[in-house]
Amino acid sequence: MKVMKRILAIVSILVMMLCMAACGAAKESVVVGYTIYEPMNYENAEGELVGFDTDLAKAVFEKLGYEVVFKLIDWDQKYTELNSGSIQCIWNGFTANTSDDDGVARADKVDFSYNYMGNKQVIVAKADINAAITDTKSLSGKVGAVENSSAGDTYLTENLEGAIKKGVTSQLDAMKELSLGNVDFVVVDEQLAKAYVGKGDYADLEISDKIYSDAEYYAIGFKKGSELTAKVNAALEELAEDGTIAELAETYGVSNTAITDFSDQKK
C-alpha cells in the first residue's frame, strides 16, 4: 500500500512538472487591432485572414517569439481599444503623419513604429462626377463618404470646402455607399482604391488624378511607452534586409517607399 502511495505521489509530481513546463513554454500573445481593408487585412475565398499587414504582423511576431491574435475593431474606437489593453497595437494601414479630426496629431496619441509603406488619400467617384473634378472646390455641395476618424475624414474636412461629409464605419463601407449611388464620391486610401476600383461591383468607379493628399506613411501604432515598439522596429529591419517585406509587397501588389532601409528613421 505504501509503495502504491509513493508511486502515485511520484506520478503526481511528474504530472505537475510537465504542466509547469508546458506553461513555461507557452508563447505570450499580442493582440493586433485591424479592420477589413484589402490588400492590408481581408478574408480570402477560404475565409482565412490574409493581406500585407496580416502576413507582415505574423512574420514580425513569429520572429519575436509571440503568438499573434487578430481582433476586428471599429476604427473609430481604435485608441480606446489600445489604451484599455484589449489590443496591443493598431496594424491596419495606419497613417502616421496626420492628425485626427480633433486636430491632435496621431503621433501624440500613440508610439509609432518605423514608416513601412507610402500612401495618399484619393477621390473615387463614378465617371460623370470624376470628369467634373478639377480642383478641391469641384466637390462643393457633393456628398462624400469617409471612414470615421480616418485620414480620409481629415482630408475631406480640411480640404474639400463645401463638401457634405457622410461618416461610415469603414473604408469598404464608404466604397459600398458609392457603388449603391448613396453618395457622390469617397475619400479613401490609395492602396485600398487600387485594390477595388475597376473590379466587380466597383467596375464603374474611377480614381481622380486631379486632387489627392500629400504623401502619407503607414506605421504600426502602440500604446505610449510600449516596449513592443523597439522590438517590432528591430524585426522590421531584419525582415527588410532578408527580403521578406519585398516579397509580401509583390504578393499583394502594394507599393512601398520605406522597406529596404530604415536607417534614416532611427532616433
Side-chain angles (χ1 to χ4, degrees), residues 34-58 70 91-92 248 251-252:
Y34 77 99
T35 64
I36 295 297
Y37 165 13
E38 187 175 352
M40 312 309 287
N41 310 82
Y42 64 99
E43 291 186 357
N44 62 17
E46 288 72 41
E48 301 169 322
L49 186 65
V50 296
F52 179 87
D53 275 352
T54 302
D55 287 6
L56 182 55
K58 290 177 181 177
F70 293 94
W91 198 330
N92 184 226
L248 290 176
T251 297
Y252 290 103

Side-chain angles (χ1 to χ4, degrees), residues 28-32 54 57-58 61-62 66-70:
E28 183 179 351
S29 63
V30 171
V31 183
V32 173
T54 302
K58 290 177 181 177
F61 289 119
E62 180 179 355
Y66 292 91
E67 177 185 359
V68 61
V69 178
F70 293 94

Side-chain angles (χ1 to χ4, degrees), residues 10-11 23 55 66 68 84 87 116 119 123 133 145 153 172 199 204 209 232 240-241 254 260:
I10 292 171
V11 170
C23 290
D55 287 6
Y66 292 91
V68 61
S84 70
I87 61 174
Y116 64 87
N119 183 55
I123 309 298
I133 297 175
D153 187 344
L172 188 53
K199 304 170 186 175
D204 60 343
D209 61 358
V232 168
E241 186 175 350
V254 295
T260 58

Side-chain angles (χ1 to χ4, degrees), residues 196-223:
Y196 287 96
V197 169
K199 304 170 186 175
D201 293 338
Y202 311 103
D204 60 343
L205 303 184
E206 298 177 354
I207 301 173
S208 172
D209 61 358
K210 302 299 182 184
I211 55 175
Y212 42 82
S213 75
D214 293 334
E216 297 178 347
Y217 297 97
Y218 286 165
I220 306 129
F222 301 90
K223 189 174 182 179

Side-chain angles (χ1 to χ4, degrees), residues 8-200:
L8 289 173
I10 292 171
V11 170
S12 297
I13 291 171
L14 289 173
V15 170
M16 289 177 63
M17 291 175 65
L18 287 171
C19 290
M20 291 174 66
C23 290
K27 290 184 178 180
E28 183 179 351
S29 63
V30 171
V31 183
V32 173
Y34 77 99
T35 64
I36 295 297
Y37 165 13
E38 187 175 352
M40 312 309 287
N41 310 82
Y42 64 99
E43 291 186 357
N44 62 17
E46 288 72 41
E48 301 169 322
L49 186 65
V50 296
F52 179 87
D53 275 352
T54 302
D55 287 6
L56 182 55
K58 290 177 181 177
V60 163
F61 289 119
E62 180 179 355
K63 181 174 285 292
L64 295 175
Y66 292 91
E67 177 185 359
V68 61
V69 178
F70 293 94
K71 180 180 179 182
L72 185 65
I73 62 171
D74 181 336
W75 193 248
D76 198 29
Q77 297 299 314
K78 57 188 176 293
Y79 300 119
T80 301
E81 294 271 8
L82 186 65
N83 291 324
S84 70
S86 62
I87 61 174
Q88 278 69 60
C89 66
I90 304 166
W91 198 330
N92 184 226
F94 191 16
T95 302
N97 60 324
T98 191
S99 299
D100 288 308
D101 53 9
D102 59 6
V104 180
R106 286 178 170 177
D108 291 336
K109 298 179 178 180
V110 302
D111 283 343
F112 278 113
S113 70
Y114 293 145
N115 300 329
Y116 64 87
M117 183 183 292
N119 183 55
K120 60 185 177 184
Q121 296 304 306
V122 297
I123 309 298
V124 177
K126 293 188 177 182
D128 57 336
I129 298 294
N130 188 44
I133 297 175
T134 57
D135 55 29
T136 55
K137 296 180 180 179
S138 304
L139 294 169
S140 180
K142 303 294 185 184
V143 180
V146 294
E147 179 182 52
N148 289 320
S149 300
S150 67
D153 187 344
T154 301
Y155 181 79
L156 185 151
T157 301
E158 295 182 352
N159 297 278
L160 304 183
E161 184 178 352
I164 303 165
K165 181 175 73 174
K166 180 176 183 178
V168 296
T169 301
S170 70
Q171 292 191 83
L172 188 53
D173 283 342
M175 293 288 288
K176 290 176 180 177
E177 287 288 299
L178 180 58
S179 69
L180 292 171
N182 296 333
V183 297
D184 300 305
F185 69 95
V186 298
V187 185
V188 294
D189 287 14
E190 181 184 39
Q191 299 286 3
L192 178 140
K194 287 182 175 179
Y196 287 96
V197 169
K199 304 170 186 175

